[in-house]
Amino acid sequence: MPPKVDRRTVDLSPYPDLVVIYLGMRVNAWTGFRTVAGLGPQIGASVQDRPDGLLLHESLIFSLFPPHIGMRQYWRDFESLERWSRSEPHRRWWRDFLRDSGGTGFWHETYFMRGGMEAIYDDVPYSIGMGRFAVLKPARGGMFSARQRAKGSEEAPPGPLTEDELYTATP
């Protein structure tokens, strides 16, 4: 007789505002290898600093051809995730990427325990994740910030670049 399956579940009641975010970076050009290799140790160091609200960080490989790496993070609440994303070094990484993707594409998808989801796909050359079945729209106006995409019309704290700076700045 085969052994019985050791089936378990989790009690998430202590985490009513839990947020899970998947993030990915895909190499789109040879220069992207350098970009990804440069960010890897920086991301590792930031995780080692144990940002307030980060419960768990896991590294993932989505594909080898094309190279596409990522991570899954569990945050106590959206406010902790948002606060960290607007602090250094993340703020600098985000600003620099929005000015020049360095031969990569970046995306994230965020899922909220209390309901709701949001996603962004920057310089991703083909649809992935929710973008494979949902209508893709420009990240403008109410679709510009994660807070607005996830929670509707709430005003988002300033990011590294405003919408005007991103779309009207000259290189």
Side-chain angles (χ1 to χ4, degrees), residues 7-24:
R7 192 164 181 235
R8 299 176 187 204
T9 188
V10 294
D11 175 7
L12 294 175
S13 61
Y15 308 99
D17 297 313
L18 183 71
V19 175
V20 180
I21 184 168
Y22 281 80
L23 306 102

Side-chain angles (χ1 to χ4, degrees), residues 30 40 55 72 78 86 89-90 96-97 116 121 133 143 150 153 159 162:
W30 287 108
L55 302 172
R72 176 175 51 212
F78 182 70
R86 284 160 166 69
H90 187 277
D96 292 349
F97 177 86
Y121 308 94
F133 61 86
M143 300 296 275
S153 62
T162 67

